[in-house]
Amino acid sequence: MTSQIFSPDVQQPLDVVGIFVFALSGGLLAVRKNMDIFGICVLAEATALGGGVVRDVLIGATPPVAFTNMGYFLAPLLAGVVVFFLHPEVERINSSVQTLDALGLGLFCVTGTAKAHDYGLGSVASVALGMLTAAGGGVIRDVLANETVSLLRWDREIYAVPALVGSTMVAVLIVHQHLTTLTASAAAMTAFGLRMLALRYGWRAPRAWHRNGSRTSEE
Amino acid sequence: MTSQIFSPDVQQPLDVVGIFVFALSGGLLAVRKNMDIFGICVLAEATALGGGVVRDVLIGATPPVAFTNMGYFLAPLLAGVVVFFLHPEVERINSSVQTLDALGLGLFCVTGTAKAHDYGLGSVASVALGMLTAAGGGVIRDVLANETVSLLRWDREIYAVPALVGSTMVAVLIVHQHLTTLTASAAAMTAFGLRMLALRYGWRAPRAWHRNGSRTSEE
Amino acid sequence: MTSQIFSPDVQQPLDVVGIFVFALSGGLLAVRKNMDIFGICVLAEATALGGGVVRDVLIGATPPVAFTNMGYFLAPLLAGVVVFFLHPEVERINSSVQTLDALGLGLFCVTGTAKAHDYGLGSVASVALGMLTAAGGGVIRDVLANETVSLLRWDREIYAVPALVGSTMVAVLIVHQHLTTLTASAAAMTAFGLRMLALRYGWRAPRAWHRNGSRTSEE
């Protein structure tokens, strides 16, 4: 099992921290959308666990780990309660939240890619599922909240590209049988670092060429 | 199999009635959104079966029972045709529809929780899947219709909390090995009763505290 | 295996062409919604593969073929790149794209129905999954792009009905053990032809009766 990159004593707390921070972003959007405590918790759960649940369903690992690991399930509820009582404070430390979110992004693209490979998927598919693990929850969050999907907006800093780089590094490491705790951490930190740089310098991806010649709707 | 709470002779007609009523709510939204007969039937199917299909996919019970039980599949089509021809009449008896919908809510949170437990999920996960069975179809309905998800709106009477109570009762009954037709019915009736009281007295869940201090967007 | 209707040498290229054309429609919507290159590729992938992925998850065929067949996965990326550089040209040949899209519709409703039957589903469920294979990707595309689901709009030419006819023909052929390359091709061409006629003559499905008497929201 290559997905046991980190010892369980390390992996579980890391996962829970990543899940908790993803849940904060869901809870904060729920507050902005004026939802009640229940909506906050639902959106926190969906954001935090959605990517991993979809990955597990696609690779046939049912029931998804989110439903069998109590900590994974309860962390988003805790995040929801925190946001319910303390959302102005959480908003205020938003840059810290974004830093932790970038850590979650790095962690989950690495573990998602490794888990998909464990279940027999090829390198390209494993990379795709690693990205899905990292970014899928945010997509579900936005769809449920009836918002434009943040991942697909051109005016947001790149989010999927750092995940793509991290996932690809893992896939290459697996092929060359060099995936260890150290190299996996390097891949996660690379994705994390790219995301932080994207936030810092406002990196965006290009939109379609020759746009003036075509019908477009400004959002 | 604890999920065989009710004898098949009782369970199947109950399920079909619940599915039919859920489908009516999907069909009525489709009419309000000006969809054609096909859109009405698609939304009726998705609303009525969506929660159970997602539950079955998550617990690994594929193909979902909605695709193997003809009655489950055909009931929403019938509801779609009824709405197509008689939607003003169905709207007029909307309070009766809401009563039947509350019955469906009670029934499906109970059977969903029990089925998840049968497939080896723990108590907390079974409760979550019971709620998902009862409320998931409505979420899919609203996402497909591009509406704000009703379940997540603060200005709607609580829907998930009655399901939470019913599902939790079932999970506790299972742990104490007291789940029988009688006690399961009591759990379903509790969820039903809470939903009816919520509708009658306009029960709503609280929104985030200190809201004035934070950025919110009124919908 | 009835789903091996066509020899692999024929099926694979046909599938890839269908996937590529479906991906073009996703990519074009992404351009119209002003997304960047990454959003274009995500929407191209989701549109092209979404229907088949959902079908495979529902019938328990995980991991979905979209994640195990490299050509299926790479074709939408290629379509995304084509749209990125050449979208005005692709828009200009839109009627050709619609013709190819109709071919994809015919092909995928046939192969989707046959595959569902192979996995043990009954005739009605197989028809439903055939339609889902053909039309599901477009629904996912519209939900991700936060558009009104095209399939559910009354003011669009019928799309699901041709798929319904093609899928039903396949289900009947399977029951009577007459599914061959020839008859399957006839079913696909029937669906294709109906869709082309619908586009040519503006065929639409009826909306609910007596609409004046009810509350409706014009879109």
Side-chain angles (χ1 to χ4, degrees), chain A residues 29 72 147 159 181 195 208:
Chain A
L29 179 60
Y72 293 176
E147 289 278 287
Y159 193 90
T181 301
R195 171 66 181 158

Side-chain angles (χ1 to χ4, degrees), chain C residues 2-177:
Chain C
T2 52
S3 80
Q4 210 60 63
I5 311 165
F6 309 106
S7 85
D9 293 353
V10 178
Q11 173 105 41
Q12 168 94 3
L14 279 178
D15 280 350
V16 170
V17 169
I19 286 169
F20 183 83
V21 180
F22 275 23
L24 287 182
S25 85
L28 285 176
L29 179 60
V31 171
R32 281 185 215 120
K33 299 284 284 190
N34 215 359
M35 295 178 190
D36 59 33
I37 174 65
F38 180 74
I40 293 170
C41 286
V42 167
L43 219 53
E45 288 280 355
T47 307
L49 304 178
V53 166
V54 172
R55 174 203 62 208
D56 287 349
V57 165
L58 290 176
I59 63 178
T62 52
V65 67
F67 288 97
T68 57
N69 184 314
M70 200 53 31
Y72 294 177
F73 188 84
L74 296 179
L77 290 183
L78 180 62
V81 171
V82 167
V83 167
F84 179 76
F85 286 107
L86 300 172
H87 59 98
E89 288 72 20
V90 180
E91 289 274 18
R92 213 172 299 137
I93 57 161
N94 196 31
S95 66
S96 313
V97 172
Q98 284 197 318
T99 303
L100 287 168
D101 183 90
L103 270 176
L105 181 76
L107 177 66
F108 292 136
C109 75
V110 166
T111 54
T113 304
K115 183 166 186 181
H117 183 266
D118 282 348
Y119 276 78
L121 279 82
S123 294
V124 173
S126 296
V127 168
L129 285 167
M131 296 173 68
L132 186 69
T133 307
V139 172
I140 293 172
R141 173 196 65 206
D142 295 336
V143 167
L144 288 180
N146 211 4
E147 289 279 288
T148 303
V149 175
S150 175
L151 185 76
L152 299 177
R153 291 179 65 158
W154 70 272
D155 58 346
R156 294 290 165 89
E157 291 77 16
I158 52 170
Y159 194 88
V161 175
L164 174 61
V165 173
S167 293
T168 305
M169 284 177 68
V170 173
V172 170
L173 287 166
I174 290 174
V175 168
H176 292 88
Q177 303 192 308

Side-chain angles (χ1 to χ4, degrees), chain A residues 3-130:
Chain A
S3 80
Q4 210 59 63
I5 311 165
F6 309 106
S7 85
D9 293 354
V10 177
Q11 173 107 41
Q12 168 93 3
L14 278 178
D15 280 350
V16 170
V17 168
I19 286 169
F20 184 82
V21 179
F22 275 23
L24 287 182
S25 85
L28 286 176
L29 179 60
V31 170
R32 280 185 216 121
K33 299 285 283 189
N34 215 359
M35 294 178 189
D36 60 34
I37 174 66
F38 180 75
I40 293 169
C41 287
V42 167
L43 219 52
E45 288 280 355
T47 307
L49 304 178
V53 166
V54 172
R55 174 203 60 209
D56 287 349
V57 165
L58 290 176
I59 62 179
T62 53
V65 67
F67 288 97
T68 57
N69 184 312
M70 199 55 29
Y72 293 176
F73 189 83
L74 296 180
L77 290 184
L78 181 61
V81 172
V82 166
V83 168
F84 180 75
F85 286 108
L86 300 172
H87 60 97
E89 288 73 19
V90 179
E91 289 273 18
R92 213 171 298 137
I93 57 162
N94 196 31
S95 65
S96 313
V97 172
Q98 283 197 318
T99 303
L100 287 168
D101 183 89
L103 270 176
L105 182 75
L107 177 66
F108 293 135
C109 74
V110 166
T111 54
T113 303
K115 183 165 185 181
H117 184 266
D118 283 349
Y119 276 78
L121 278 81
S123 295
V124 173
S126 296
V127 168
L129 285 166

